[in-house]
Amino acid sequence: MQQLSNRDIADIISETAKLMELHNVNEFKLKSLQNAAFVISRLESPLTSVAPGELEMIKGIGKSISQKILQILQTGTLDELETYLKDTPGGVVEMMRIKGIGPKKVAVLWKQLGVESPGELLYACNENRLIELKGFGSKTQDQIRKAIEYSISSKGYFHFAALDHPAKEITEALKNSGLFSKAELTGAIRRKCELLQQIEILVAYNNPASVLTQL
């Protein structure tokens, strides 16, 4: 597995916190994760060099967060994050990447307006449907519309929806090739980030010499 940086670990914890906020989960636990993500992103020494028993000694981490860090280092993800991702439409996860709206507002758009993707959100903005919602207004609606349009026009990036299907097809082809014992999506596409620059796939094989010969 690719070695994770402190930023990678912080991003995974932060993503979990955002999804918890989206689903209106325990606020104390949410704040704990948000604080931990902030602390980890500011650490100078890589967490990969810290002994497991010493993680909880770092100020702002503690026993509970240290266990989550260990799971991330061992698996590349968190069980909680994977559970929330399964319970959340991919398009809704994308909407949380849009500048100007956080998890709470995305929850309103999803639950009250039935919007489940950036494309549907742009359509709703063009129909002036956001101004009907509490906490929104014409200014916020315009900001969201511009943010979506900008993300679409950004060069060198692809929307998650555009790469989701081909990424799954490539991963499946690798699994069925007989060359690899494991093939899984990793990085930004696994976290369902709104904009992507590439498809990253983690593979494992039992016979390196055989794979090199066949490739």
Side-chain angles (χ1 to χ4, degrees), residues 7-21:
R7 171 55 64 183
D8 293 327
I9 296 169
D11 286 346
I12 290 170
I13 292 176
S14 178
E15 185 78 6
T16 304
K18 289 177 182 178
L19 285 165
M20 287 176 64
E21 187 174 1

Side-chain angles (χ1 to χ4, degrees), residues 26-44:
N26 185 287
E27 190 167 343
F28 176 79
K29 191 174 182 181
L30 167 65
K31 294 294 183 183
S32 176
L33 289 179
Q34 290 174 331
N35 180 64
F38 177 79
V39 169
I40 292 169
S41 68
R42 297 297 189 277
L43 291 176
E44 294 183 2

Side-chain angles (χ1 to χ4, degrees), residues 78-90:
L78 279 175
D79 289 341
E80 287 174 288
L81 175 59
E82 296 303 316
T83 297
Y84 289 126
L85 287 173
K86 288 179 182 178
D87 293 338
T88 312

Side-chain angles (χ1 to χ4, degrees), residues 100 105 130-131 136-146:
K105 286 189 175 180
L130 268 64
I131 60 175
F136 291 80
S138 58
K139 184 177 179 180
T140 300
Q141 180 174 265
D142 288 341
Q143 290 176 337
I144 292 172
R145 180 193 293 112
K146 289 177 181 177

Side-chain angles (χ1 to χ4, degrees), residues 144-213:
I144 292 172
R145 180 193 293 112
K146 289 177 181 177
I148 298 173
E149 291 173 343
Y150 174 78
S151 69
I152 292 174
S153 63
S154 297
K155 294 182 178 180
Y157 286 85
F158 300 88
H159 277 289
F160 171 81
L163 294 184
D164 183 34
H165 184 65
K168 289 176 179 176
E169 284 192 331
I170 294 170
T171 304
E172 195 63 28
L174 290 172
K175 288 179 180 178
N176 296 331
S177 68
L179 302 178
F180 306 100
S181 60
K182 183 178 182 181
E184 293 183 356
L185 293 173
T186 188
I189 193 164
R190 180 181 175 83
R191 296 195 298 274
K192 299 185 178 181
C193 295
E194 179 194 0
L195 295 177
L196 307 168
Q197 287 184 294
Q198 59 191 3
I199 294 173
E200 296 176 83
I201 301 175
L202 182 67
V203 298
Y205 42 85
N206 296 321
N207 191 338
S210 173
V211 172
L212 291 174
T213 299

